[in-house]
Amino acid sequence: MFLFYLKKNFCDGWDSMLHLVVVNFFILLYGVAALLIIDVIFKISFLIAALAGLLLFALGMILVFAGASCAAQIAGFDSPAIRDFFSNIPTVAADGFRFGLLYGTLILAGAVGIPSYFSMGNMVGFICAVFLFWVEVIALLAFQWFIPIKFLMHNNFKKCLKKSFIILFDNFAFSVFLGVYTLFLAVLSLFLFFLMPSFSGIALAHINALRLRLYKYDWLEKQADAASDADALKKLRHARIPWDELLAEDKELVGPRPLKSFIFPWKY
């Protein structure tokens, strides 16, 4: 499942590269403008700059959500148009802004709180810093699932938040793998001037992860409906997921992709 996930995500990103680059370019323009504004405000007041940064971050998350909506189409083997990115903005504004405030507050709390606790120079400060660090890690791992849940399961804000933690703890190893993969994509984005894979590419990676993971839950639900007694239901918790069978259709749609097909796609 892991290898096919990486293959599908790479193929989706490659085939939709132009769309992702254009969407990332607009998000990047907003990011540069936001940083310039914060830099000006920072010279006046650190506190006001921090609050302005939080607000601008939340507004920027609306654009990320609009790009993620297009990424969900790409993950579903569709081809969104650039205009879809702009038309999605009003529909995702509320949840994007709220998630941005939550995410930004989490980052701000970690950036300020952890060094402050360490600077206390005693055991209490050390324990508080370590505790806050792991709270941040768990929350960030859970928040990877928020956008995919929003655009694949179409839940409201509270349900998306709740299910993010449910999916994290039910798929902890895969969530850690996704976190490491996300970090790799973020570093790669730095070398590619944040045009690829960047914001939309990372959203695509998260959406592909949940899209494939949901096959597991569909299979478990069918098995639970067919279970005859409590013992059968109990065994499902440790059942081996038949990923080859569940991913068969997606594998057929992705198809064999030799290296030449990425360089000369018109020949395949």
Side-chain angles (χ1 to χ4, degrees):
M1 188 272 181
F2 285 78
L3 291 177
F4 176 71
Y5 161 68
L6 294 174
K7 176 182 177 180
K8 182 181 186 303
N9 195 63
F10 179 79
C11 291
D12 286 348
W14 186 274
D15 294 342
S16 303
M17 185 184 298
L18 179 60
H19 177 91
L20 296 177
V21 166
V22 173
V23 169
N24 286 331
F25 176 74
F26 284 110
I27 298 175
L28 185 61
L29 279 182
Y30 172 85
V32 171
L35 288 174
L36 291 175
I37 293 172
I38 294 171
D39 182 59
V40 172
I41 299 175
F42 183 79
K43 296 174 183 177
I44 302 172
S45 169
F46 170 78
L47 179 60
I48 297 176
L51 294 174
L54 180 60
L55 178 62
L56 290 169
F57 181 84
L59 291 172
M61 191 60 72
I62 296 174
L63 300 181
V64 174
F65 267 53
S69 182
C70 295
Q73 292 179 257
I74 294 171
F77 301 100
D78 197 359
S79 299
I82 297 300
R83 63 175 178 273
D84 294 333
F85 167 71
F86 296 100
S87 63
N88 289 334
I89 292 176
T91 62
V92 303
D95 283 344
F97 184 77
R98 284 190 288 179
F99 183 70
L101 280 180
L102 182 60
Y103 206 115
T105 301
L106 180 71
I107 295 173
L108 191 61
V112 175
I114 294 175
S116 297
Y117 284 130
F118 272 124
S119 67
M120 291 172 63
N122 53 40
M123 185 57 66
V124 174
F126 176 78
I127 292 173
C128 290
V130 171
F131 176 76
L132 180 56
F133 170 79
W134 285 111
V135 168
E136 295 270 333
V137 170
I138 295 298
L140 291 174
L141 287 175
F143 285 176
Q144 295 177 120
W145 299 110
F146 187 96
I147 288 178
I149 292 170
K150 170 66 182 175
F151 294 106
L152 294 180
M153 304 177 75
H154 308 290
N155 294 142
N156 60 36
F157 188 87
K158 288 183 179 180
K159 283 189 176 180
C160 287
L161 195 58
K162 179 181 178 181
K163 287 184 178 180
S164 294
F165 285 92
I166 292 174
I167 293 176
L168 165 65
F169 291 115
D170 193 43
N171 303 272
F172 195 79
F174 186 75
S175 296
V176 173
F177 165 78
L178 184 60
V180 174
Y181 183 49
T182 300
L183 184 60
F184 166 75
L185 294 179
V187 173
L188 181 61
S189 301
L190 179 64
F191 288 100
L192 297 176
F193 307 102
F194 292 102
L195 292 176
M196 274 295 290
S198 197
F199 312 99
S200 294
I202 291 173
L204 174 63
H206 292 175
I207 290 169
N208 262 324
L210 182 61
R211 186 180 182 278
L212 298 182
R213 215 66 187 170
L214 285 177
Y215 290 142
K216 170 182 126 176
Y217 293 103
D218 291 338
W219 182 82
L220 287 173
E221 185 177 354
K222 291 178 181 178
Q223 299 303 310
D225 290 340
S228 56
D229 52 37
D231 289 337
L233 286 172
K234 188 176 181 179
K235 290 180 181 178
L236 280 177
R237 297 179 183 177
H238 307 287
R240 184 178 179 85
I241 308 300
W243 284 113
D244 288 338
E245 176 186 337
L246 299 179
L247 299 176
E249 184 177 351
D250 279 58
K251 287 183 177 180
E252 184 178 349
L253 290 171
V254 173
R257 298 292 297 268
L259 181 61
K260 290 183 179 180
S261 69
F262 295 106
I263 304 173
F264 308 107
W266 57 87
K267 293 184 177 181
Y268 292 85

